[in-house]
Amino acid sequence: GMPADHRYTMIRDGRWKLITSLEDARVADALYDLETDPGERRNVAVRNPDVVTQLRQRLEALATESVEAAPMADEDEAILTARLEELGYL
């Protein structure tokens, strides 16, 4: 099966939130429009390829600088999300 230690990275920019993997091309990008879909139920990556490309490029640049963009294991993502909510970012 798939490796358990899949590394995901998340970036939030205004209305858009992208969850992707910079390490594994087989992972489908998940893009959410938080303005119309605050519950993150509809993945709109396929309909907004330009947004995905733009956010991925920014993530890759951040990852290169290793600033702010830390790869996340699945279990860490829930923790990070909760932390960001506490801090008022989400």
Side-chain angles (χ1 to χ4, degrees):
M2 297 289 270
D5 63 336
H6 247 13
R7 295 301 186 82
Y8 292 99
T9 313
M10 181 189 89
I11 187 168
R12 165 84 194 269
D13 179 18
R15 68 189 292 181
W16 302 108
K17 176 177 172 182
L18 178 69
I19 301 167
T20 188
S21 173
L22 297 179
E23 296 172 23
D24 190 341
R26 294 170 301 181
V27 175
D29 295 320
L31 180 71
Y32 300 103
D33 181 347
L34 301 176
E35 206 167 274
T36 59
D37 179 29
E40 296 175 25
R41 291 186 184 88
R42 291 188 307 276
N43 182 354
V44 294
V46 174
R47 276 180 279 162
N48 297 277
D50 297 349
V51 176
V52 171
T53 301
Q54 187 185 341
L55 291 179
R56 271 190 68 95
Q57 283 170 351
R58 285 175 55 188
L59 266 180
E60 282 161 8
L62 284 171
T64 306
E65 298 164 24
S66 70
V67 177
E68 277 187 320
M72 289 187 287
D74 296 20
E75 58 272 22
D76 297 333
E77 193 173 324
I79 296 165
L80 178 66
T81 300
R83 184 79 188 103
L84 290 172
E85 280 172 351
E86 279 172 26
L87 296 171
Y89 287 112
L90 297 181

